[in-house]
Amino acid sequence: LAVYLFLVGYLNEDMRLGLLYVNPIARLLDCTIGILLALLFLHLREQERYTVWTESHIHIISIAFWLFLGAVFLQSHYPLFFDKVYTAAYWPMEALLVLTLAILGGASSKNTVTKRVLNCKAFVFLGSCSLSFYLLHIPVINLIHLLNENWYADSRDIVGAIVCLIATLIAATIANYLIEQKFTNW
């Protein structure tokens, strides 16, 4: 994270995209955080106290969630000033949000509205497509940008962002059905 934060400030936008965002080696931090979150979730679930922990800390989790959304908003409108702040805030807040949603949607937690929403077929389906979505979003965004220079997945271009989102979701659904599910079954 320290190296990442250092490089964010010194690389131009194209270099940041190529070296820090798209490069699989730079994405190892995301992968490591995901693995650690899964281990923490499994540990908390074994304690059978994790819903109590979540319920007693939900106010902190809610504040972190809104701060995370605020950081995303600020990053999209003031990218130069907030690059380092956003990057430093992104991983811890995303990790807390993912852990909280996993706990709230967990099988042994109370049957809350949040649990029912997280376990509805649409969200379960989107979760099953998430790896394909992650792997395909950059190629789809670039292809759409090549087809129409005015459309780009950017917060300043809502039409382009929606087109890219829908196209990536369609591509991820197809890849999930034709590749991921077959490998999982195999």
Side-chain angles (χ1 to χ4, degrees), residues 63-69 71 88-98:
I63 291 168
F65 175 71
W66 289 109
L67 287 173
F68 173 74
L69 288 180
Y90 179 77
W91 279 304
M93 288 188 192
E94 178 187 39
L96 182 60
L97 180 61
V98 167

Side-chain angles (χ1 to χ4, degrees), residues 89-146:
Y90 179 77
W91 279 304
M93 288 188 192
E94 178 187 39
L96 182 60
L97 180 61
V98 167
L99 180 62
T100 302
L101 292 175
I103 290 170
L104 291 173
S108 63
S109 67
K110 292 179 183 177
N111 191 18
T112 62
V113 173
T114 306
K115 180 179 178 177
R116 287 192 301 272
V117 168
L118 291 174
N119 288 308
C120 77
K121 288 184 180 184
F123 280 121
V124 171
F125 170 75
L126 288 173
S128 72
C129 293
S130 62
L131 176 62
S132 293
F133 192 94
Y134 167 72
L135 292 173
L136 293 171
H137 79 282
I138 293 294
V140 169
I141 289 169
N142 288 333
L143 177 64
I144 287 173
H145 187 62
L146 284 173

